Every structure is written in structure tokens, then in C-alpha cells.
Amino acid sequence: MARTTPPDHPATEGEPGEPLYRRIATELLGELRDGTIPPGERLPGERRLAGHFGVSRETVRQALELLRREGLVATDRRGSHATLSGAPTRTPAALTFPVGAGTATPGTVARATVTWEPPPPEHAEALGLAPGRPTLIHRYRHATADGRGLRTAVTSFSAVALAEVEELARYRDRADGNAAAQLRRAYDWMRRAGLTLHHRDAITPLPSTPSVRVTRRVHDQYARPLEITDLVVDAQQDALVYEFTLPGRAARPAAAGASRRTRP
């Protein structure tokens, strides 16, 4: 028996008689313009878009084709991506993996490993994992050779991250806790998979110690959790620096033929 596609249901009200795919194209264009999907970013696949808008994949396919004809979406080997004006977004300097990762310099020691095991209970709750369900756990340790400036971080990845980010999923088979595992490009891998990253960092002091805890939660454009990291920093010996880059206003082009005049 041939597989049938579930009937579409309208995502929003539109003009009477307006084809559904045009309404979906309009909604998708709105997400492109408000930055939900930044310029240059790969769009989610047809299946995910269909679920997001509550329509069939064929309707999504027609909506994408309409945006392609208007030059608002392009398709290449990476898939479909937005072509609206604006520079492609880059991972902010503050969004390094794991949070608090130190720069490899002489006199410092860094160690990173992965395991496949149940995460801490608070991580499981934040990621929507059932109690006792294993996932990919990344552990990071950075310190000077004499043990000062110690930073330790534990990251748990969600089922969504492992299902949609191929590079992360590959680590499951070698997650024995012994081999070194540098996931410095984890956020780049997520972005290449079509995920737009949003993060929230909470900093709290640890009672009776000079250390502070930084908890980072990262989710995608659909509010699905991707990972949670707990970093502990020896605040007496080390400093945690956050760096933010804000988009600047475009410079006004000079008038044609204008020149700088000097007084004699």
C-alpha cells in the first residue's frame, strides 16, 4: 500500500484562497528576517520544517521553491540556506566549548575525555532525559603545572544534539573515558547541522570555598536543549573573562568624487 501524507492544517490565518505553501513561505521569510535563522545559516531539513509549521513536506518543498525563485533561499551541497543581506553570523568569542576552556600555553595542562553514562540528575532534568538514561558526557580539566588556576567542566549532551550533529554522535563508540577527546568545535558542528545556538550562563559562588560555578545551558532556535555544562573555577587563583561582540552600524558610504580638503 502506498504511503500517504497527512493532510496539511493551516499554520496561520491568511488571505482567503491563498495557497498554503505561500503562507508557509511568508512565515519562513519572517523567521529569516527576524534573525531566528541568520543570513548564511543552513535551514532545517524539510521534515523538521514540516513538523515546525504543522504541514506536509510537499508544502514545505513548494514554499522553499517559491523563496528560491525570489532569490531569498539558495541550495548547494550544504543544503538550503538564507541569502538575505547581512554577514553570516559567527560564533561569539564568549561561546567557546567547553565554557571556560583555557588557552593551551606553556606551563598549563589540559585534559578532555568523553564517556557514555547517565548524566547528573540536574543535567538529565535540564535535557529532558529519563532518569538513568545514558548520554555523551564530556569532562574537561585545565590547570597550571603546579595545580593553580584549576578549572573543571562537565558537559552532558541532549538526545537532540546527538541525533542531529553527526560529529558528536561518532564519539559514542569511543566514549570509554580514557582516550583524549577534544570537542573544541562542538558549537561549529551544531551550527553546520542547521542549529542556531542560544545560551544562558549562570554564575554562582560555592559556599565555604573561593570557587565559583558557571552553568551554561544551550538550546536551539526551537527551544530544544542541546547541552548543559557545569564549570568550577578557582576564583582565588584564576579569572573567568567574558567577551562579547555586538554588531555595529554599517558605515555610511562617502559621496562619489568627495575628497578631503586641507587649508593652505
Side-chain angles (χ1 to χ4, degrees):
M1 178 181 291
R3 200 167 102 185
T4 59
T5 301
D8 290 328
H9 59 82
T12 61
E13 293 297 326
E15 294 296 327
E18 179 185 23
L20 181 57
Y21 74 87
R22 286 187 175 274
R23 282 188 247 170
I24 300 305
T26 299
E27 289 195 28
L28 181 54
L29 181 58
E31 294 192 6
L32 297 177
R33 284 178 169 159
D34 68 15
T36 302
I37 304 175
E41 282 290 288
R42 195 174 78 177
L43 272 61
E46 291 177 0
R47 179 172 58 85
R48 201 189 317 165
L49 287 173
H52 176 58
F53 291 114
V55 298
S56 69
R57 292 180 63 176
E58 178 59 30
T59 297
V60 168
R61 198 171 294 123
Q62 291 176 326
L64 289 173
E65 180 58 31
L66 177 62
L67 294 177
R68 286 190 197 98
R69 290 200 302 266
E70 295 180 0
L72 300 172
V73 165
T75 302
D76 56 23
R77 290 181 302 173
R78 296 187 302 130
S80 297
H81 55 274
T83 58
L84 300 179
S85 59
T89 57
R90 289 182 170 81
T91 302
L95 199 57
T96 56
F97 182 87
V99 56
T103 305
T105 57
T108 62
V109 178
R111 171 78 170 161
T113 59
V114 289
T115 57
W116 185 260
E117 62 180 284
E122 60 274 17
H123 283 205
E125 181 179 1
L127 299 176
L129 295 174
R133 178 179 176 180
T135 190
L136 189 69
I137 308 291
H138 180 270
R139 289 182 172 84
Y140 172 84
R141 186 181 189 278
H142 180 274
T144 57
D146 57 8
R148 293 184 300 114
L150 179 63
R151 301 182 181 196
T152 59
V154 177
T155 300
S156 302
F157 291 97
S158 72
V160 171
L162 296 176
E164 301 198 12
V165 183
E166 181 181 356
E167 293 88 347
L168 286 177
R170 291 174 185 164
Y171 274 89
R172 177 174 180 172
D173 295 334
R174 39 183 158 151
D176 58 5
N178 296 317
Q182 296 295 341
L183 305 188
R184 288 187 298 265
R185 299 186 60 196
Y187 293 139
D188 290 332
W189 297 338
M190 291 179 183
R191 289 164 56 81
R192 281 211 307 265
L195 304 175
T196 301
L197 308 185
H198 304 267
H199 76 285
R200 179 178 183 270
D201 296 351
I203 304 176
T204 55
L206 295 180
S208 306
T209 74
S211 300
V212 296
R213 180 188 302 276
V214 180
T215 300
R216 166 168 290 176
R217 299 181 184 220
V218 179
H219 64 272
D220 69 2
Q221 63 266 44
Y222 303 118
R224 300 179 303 176
L226 298 175
E227 64 101 337
I228 179 171
T229 298
D230 277 320
L231 164 75
V232 175
V233 180
D234 181 355
Q236 188 173 21
Q237 300 289 344
D238 202 2
L240 186 65
V241 178
Y242 276 79
E243 181 178 345
F244 298 90
T245 301
L246 300 178
R249 296 181 61 184
R252 180 180 299 175
S259 61
R260 184 178 178 183
R261 306 180 72 180
T262 59
R263 296 173 63 90

